[in-house]
Every structure is written in structure tokens, then in C-alpha cells.
């Protein structure tokens, strides 16, 4: 690999950012529907038309929009369950921290509108009765067709112990810490909206130093940036993150940017509108590694925008963890209503330790990338999605993030001939 030096930057946002509010609301609705459908299944619920409650029955494509004083939830849902969407919305906004009008948004007084209708039967029939099934295939895992066409990417690299790129990993940790000190009351002038950004210097494709740090946070009217916010964020947000991660960060004072405009009082939906799926690079790899374009939040696991992207990360992480490459990107492509991927591509950017064709063959023999198999192997029919909707869907130390496991490491090594 070239010894070229370059800088790479990634950003994250806090859970109070208006776009991230929408992602969390959409996923909170998905979780509520999945949870309630599971309860109805346990109760043996059946409609008067003979339709039985089942987690397999659920379909969700939920979008949220927010602006000053208003939240709108719309989309397509198929379920036997009833969930109180306005209450879910208000509870989510309350948990984020918009609890007073002086913060620019109040969970109790904001308007909530819903516009949910049933999923198109034309889409449903392709998922419930796949192309393969129509041809007489009786394999249970071939019965579920992909919920849409498209391509999905997964990525992993050995920058960090989580096999995530260092810039996005550190940006997420700073955003998490910013929220933690706000909610704990350590810095009581902080408000929910905020953004972080980290620039890392690479030499020969390896991170060697943190060059620039940017933190912008919503704050109380009387909090001065230079005399209060800047020293506080360096002491209580930036230093603890780098100490916890054991990463050297000899960053010059002029290269630490705190609220560079000098004021960030108006924030959240009052400062900018929000929309589900508008932070897809924050959700994934911070721009390092490609993106197929599909958002995750608000979608159930039959939507390959979500489930196949999770599976692609699962596979790419295995390739790097197995020592087959320092960097790996996996592309998957699907057709709506078809179970088998149309294409699978492994890219290792010249960092492979064995032939790439051999890696690709090992991947295909170790991982089943049909939607039904992904849902089964990653146990995706669970109400786990709201917590994925802030601070990244990948590189998280959480047992529910099953796509972060490396449970097939030995099988992949054997298949690769190691």
C-alpha cells in the first residue's frame, strides 16, 4: 500500500439532533409494533378472518418529520397490533431531553400528527411469497423475498478494537459523552442538540494521530463559549473519551473547535427541521466505505436496506478479524421479492493476506445471505432498534447488536484454508 499521508474526517450527532430525533421516533414505533405483535402471538390472537398474530407478519416503513413545535409520523405498516403512536413519540422526545419550551421543544406541548396506512399488497406478496417459492422451491429460507431492490455495503478495518474506522468511532464516543454529561447534570447548561467531528491523520492507510476535534453543542442563553463551554468540554468530554480509549491526542489548542460560531442557543427542531434517514453516513462508517443509499431507521428486518447492511457488516468484520485483510468492504445486491442476492462482492483494497477470490469463496460458503437466513442468524425480529438510532449502528459493545459478533470466525478460517 502507498505510504501517502492524508487526513480523513467523520462526524456524529447527538440524540437531540432533529434528524436523529426522527430516526429514534421511527425506530421506537417499530419496536413497539414488534413487541406488541409478539405479545399477541403469545396470547394466540387470531382475527375473525383467520389471520394469526406472528412476528413474521410485521412489516414497517415508518418515516418521521419534525419542525418547530410539530412531529409528523407517516408510512406503511402491517400488523395485528395497536400501538399508541402519539404517546410513543412524546416518551421518546422526553427521554432525549426536550422537556421545556425554553430548550426550543417540549414533549408535552408539541403537536403530533400521524398518517399511517397499510403496506401495499403488491410489495407484501413479494416478501411473503418469493420468486423462488413461486417456482416451486420449498426451502423455508427461500420463502422470504427481499423487501426491496438495491445494494448494501458493509465495512470493517483494523483501525480500532471494534474494527471500525477511527474517525467515526471517536466522533460517536464524543457525541455519547456530550449527552452523558448533559443528562447527568455535570454541565447543566447543555441542551440536547449537538454535533461532533474528528479528523485523523493516516500514513500508509493506518491512523497515526488525531489532528482536529470539533464539538458544537446547544447551550443555555447565559453560557459563554470561551470562558465556560470551551474549558468544560475539553475537561469533561474530550479528555475522558481519549483517556478511556487510550488514544494519544496531542492536538494543538487552535485545532480544537468548540462552537465555532460563538453561539448555539436555538437548536433542535426549532433551529432546523428533522427527517428520518438523513444521517446515513453518521449511521454507518463516517464516509470511509461506500453506502448503498438506503436508510435503516423505521424499517423492519425484511427490508434489506437494514438487514442486509447489518449482515454485510457482520461478514466484513469476520474477514478482518480472521486476518484475511486489514480492510474489507462487502457489497450485496437484491431484487424485490427474490431471496438470493443478485451479487456478492468482496473488496479488500490491496490489504488481503490471501487471494481475494479465495476470501470471496470462503465468505459464500460460511454465510447465508438470503433475507430469511439473515433474520434467523442475527435474530432480528426483536424490539432492539431504537437504541441503534443514535451513535451508530456499528462498532457498539451491546449484546443486541448481533451483527457485531464474530461467532463464525473459525468456520471462515477453515473455509479460507487457514
Amino acid at each position: 500500500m502507498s505510504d501517502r499521508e492524508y487526513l480523513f474526517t467523520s462526524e456524529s450527532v447527538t440524540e437531540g439532533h432533529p434528524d436523529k430525533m426522527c430516526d429514534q421516533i421511527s425506530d421506537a414505533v417499530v419496536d413497539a409494533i414488534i413487541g406488541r405483535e409478539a405479545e399477541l402471538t403469545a396470547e394466540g390472537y387470531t382475527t375473525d378472518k383467520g389471520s394469526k398474530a406472528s412476528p413474521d407478519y410485521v412489516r414497517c416503513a415508518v418515516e418521521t418529520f419534525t419542525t418547530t413545535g410539530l412531529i409528523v409520523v407517516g408510512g406503511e405498516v402491517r400488523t395485528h397490533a395497536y400501538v399508541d403512536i402519539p404517546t410513543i413519540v412524546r416518551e421518546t422526545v422526553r427521554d432525549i431531553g426536550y422537556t421545556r419550551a425554553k430548550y426550543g421543544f417540549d414533549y408535552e406541548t408539541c403537536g403530533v400528527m400521524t398518517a399511517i396506512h397499510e403496506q401495499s399488497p403488491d410489495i407484501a406478496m413479494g416478501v411473503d411469497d418469493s420468486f423462488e417459492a413461486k417456482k416451486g422451491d420449498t426451502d423455508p429460507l427461500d420463502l422470504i423475498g427481499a423487501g426491496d431492490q438495491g445494494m448494501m455495503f458493509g465495512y470493517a478495518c483494523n483501525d480500532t478494537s471494534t474494527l471500525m474506522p477511527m474517525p467515526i468511532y471517536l466522533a460517536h464516543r464524543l457525541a455519547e459523552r456530550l449527552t452523558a454529561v448533559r443528562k447527568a447534570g455535570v454541565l447543566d447548561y447543555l441542551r440536547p442538540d449537538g454535533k461532533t467531528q474528528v479528523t485523523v491523520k493516516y500514513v500508509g492507510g493506518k491512523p497515526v494521530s488525531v489532528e482536529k476535534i470539533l464539538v458544537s453543542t446547544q447551550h443555555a442563553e447565559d453560557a459563554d463559549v470561551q470562558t465556560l463551554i470551551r474549558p468544560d468540554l475539553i475537561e469533561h468530554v474530550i479528555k475522558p473519551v481519549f483517556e478511556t480509549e487510550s488514544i494519544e491526542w496531542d492536538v494543538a489548542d487552535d485545532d480544537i473547535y468548540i462552537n465555532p460560531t460563538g453561539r448555539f442557543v436555538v437548536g433542535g427542531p426549532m433551529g432546523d427541521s428533522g427527517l428520518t434517514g438523513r444521517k446515513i453516513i453518521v449511521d454507518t462508517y463516517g464516509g470511509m466505505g461506500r453506502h448503498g443509499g438506503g436508510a435503516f431507521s423505521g424499517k423492519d428486518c425484511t427490508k434489506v436496506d437494514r438487514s442486509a447492511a447489518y449482515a454485510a457488516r457482520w461478514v466484513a468484520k469476520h474477514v478482518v478479524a480472521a486476518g484475511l485483510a486489514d480492510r474489507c468492504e462487502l457489497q450485496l445486491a437484491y431484487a424485490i421479492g427474490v431471496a438470493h442476492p443478485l451479487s456478492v462482492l468482496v473488496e479488500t483494497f490491496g490489504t488481503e493476506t490471501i487471494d481475494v477470490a479465495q476470501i470471496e469463496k470462503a465468505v459464500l460458503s460460511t454465510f447465508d445471505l438470503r433475507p430469511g437466513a439473515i433474520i434467523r442468524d442475527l435474530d432480528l425480529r426483536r424490539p432492539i432498534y431504537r437504541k441503534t438510532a443514535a451513535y451508530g449502528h456499528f462498532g457498539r459493545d451491546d449484546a443486541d447488536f448481533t451483527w457485531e459478533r464474530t461467532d463464525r470466525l473459525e468456520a471462515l478460517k477453515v473455509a479460507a484454508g487457514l
Side-chain angles (χ1 to χ4, degrees):
M1 177 176 285
S2 167
D3 289 334
R4 183 172 77 93
E5 296 184 7
Y6 58 91
L7 302 179
F8 196 93
T9 302
S10 296
E11 72 159 349
S12 182
V13 298
T14 65
E15 58 201 58
H17 185 282
D19 292 331
K20 273 287 144 221
M21 286 177 62
C22 292
D23 287 342
Q24 291 166 91
I25 290 167
S26 293
D27 273 340
V29 172
V30 172
D31 281 354
I33 290 170
I34 292 172
R36 182 57 185 146
E37 186 81 21
E39 291 173 352
L40 292 175
T41 302
E43 296 167 7
Y45 176 82
T46 304
T47 69
D48 55 5
K49 295 183 179 179
S51 177
K52 294 183 178 180
S54 167
D56 296 355
Y57 184 78
V58 170
R59 301 285 184 270
C60 293
V62 179
E63 311 288 344
T64 303
F65 166 77
T66 184
T67 188
T68 305
L70 176 66
I71 293 174
V72 180
V73 181
E76 302 82 47
V77 168
R78 189 181 78 175
T79 181
H80 297 96
Y82 167 79
V83 296
D84 186 347
I85 290 177
T87 296
I88 293 167
V89 169
R90 295 186 192 281
E91 289 176 348
T92 303
V93 175
R94 178 199 63 201
D95 294 346
I96 290 169
Y98 286 111
T99 56
R100 301 182 65 184
K102 67 186 294 185
Y103 297 168
F105 206 82
D106 182 357
Y107 80 101
E108 290 185 300
T109 60
C110 68
V112 178
M113 297 176 60
T114 61
I116 298 288
H117 59 272
E118 190 172 0
Q119 184 192 41
S120 162
D122 294 346
I123 295 174
M125 71 178 183
V127 179
D128 298 338
D129 190 18
S130 72
F131 174 78
E132 289 87 344
K134 290 183 177 73
K135 293 174 66 177
D137 192 333
T138 58
D139 184 338
L141 294 178
D142 274 345
L143 301 183
I144 299 175
D148 202 352
Q149 72 173 51
M151 66 282 189
M152 298 82 211
F153 289 92
Y155 183 85
C157 62
N158 56 14
D159 282 10
T160 62
S161 61
T162 62
L163 304 186
M164 285 290 286
M166 185 175 286
I168 187 65
Y169 179 77
L170 290 176
H172 282 324
R173 301 295 78 76
L174 289 170
E176 279 185 318
R177 179 69 183 176
L178 184 60
T179 296
V181 297
R182 170 179 63 85
K183 289 187 171 182
V186 175
L187 304 178
D188 60 5
Y189 56 81
L190 295 181
R191 301 296 181 252
D193 197 357
K195 304 179 80 171
T196 61
Q197 189 169 286
V198 176
T199 300
V200 174
K201 181 180 179 181
Y202 282 78
V203 178
K206 300 292 184 182
V208 296
S209 62
V210 176
E211 296 290 307
K212 299 180 189 296
I213 300 170
L214 168 60
V215 181
S216 295
T217 181
Q218 185 186 9
H219 59 85
E221 177 86 33
D222 57 355
D224 181 74
V225 171
Q226 292 303 321
T227 62
L228 183 64
I229 299 175
R230 180 182 178 85
D232 275 354
L233 292 194
I234 292 173
E235 181 65 26
H236 295 286
V237 176
I238 297 174
K239 283 184 177 180
V241 166
F242 283 88
E243 288 171 358
T244 300
E245 299 299 330
S246 300
I247 294 173
E248 294 293 331
W249 67 288
D250 187 19
V251 181
D253 191 64
D254 287 347
D255 290 326
I256 299 176
Y257 299 84
I258 306 294
N259 282 23
T261 67
R263 176 183 168 89
F264 188 178
V265 173
V266 179
M270 187 175 180
D272 195 4
S273 61
L275 188 66
T276 298
R278 208 156 54 178
K279 283 290 178 283
I280 59 176
I281 301 303
V282 171
D283 285 342
T284 52
Y285 308 102
M288 191 176 290
R290 286 167 284 198
H291 197 295
F296 301 156
S297 291
K299 298 175 181 176
D300 73 273
C301 56
T302 66
K303 308 294 189 296
V304 284
D305 277 341
R306 178 168 228 156
S307 54
Y310 289 176
R313 161 65 178 173
W314 185 43
V315 172
K317 188 172 182 180
H318 273 79
V319 170
V320 175
L324 304 181
D326 291 342
R327 297 169 61 200
C328 178
E329 181 184 80
L330 184 81
Q331 188 206 46
L332 302 173
Y334 293 87
I336 187 168
V338 179
H340 291 263
L342 301 188
S343 68
V344 179
L345 173 67
V346 173
E347 172 61 69
T348 54
F349 308 96
T351 68
E352 65 275 3
T353 58
I354 63 173
D355 186 71
V356 178
Q358 190 177 346
I359 296 174
E360 198 166 89
K361 184 177 179 181
V363 164
L364 291 172
S365 67
T366 305
F367 298 93
D368 188 339
L369 296 169
R370 292 173 293 173
I374 293 170
I375 293 167
R376 176 200 64 190
D377 294 341
L378 298 181
D379 194 14
L380 295 180
R381 283 198 170 100
R382 295 174 294 138
I384 59 170
Y385 296 111
R386 181 185 161 187
K387 61 182 172 181
T388 69
Y391 314 116
H393 292 246
F394 307 121
R396 305 271 293 276
D397 183 17
D398 187 307
D400 284 332
F401 287 56
T402 51
W403 47 94
E404 291 297 314
R405 300 182 310 205
T406 51
D407 51 335
R408 297 193 180 178
L409 205 54
E410 293 309 312
L412 181 62
K413 288 180 179 179
V414 169
L418 300 184

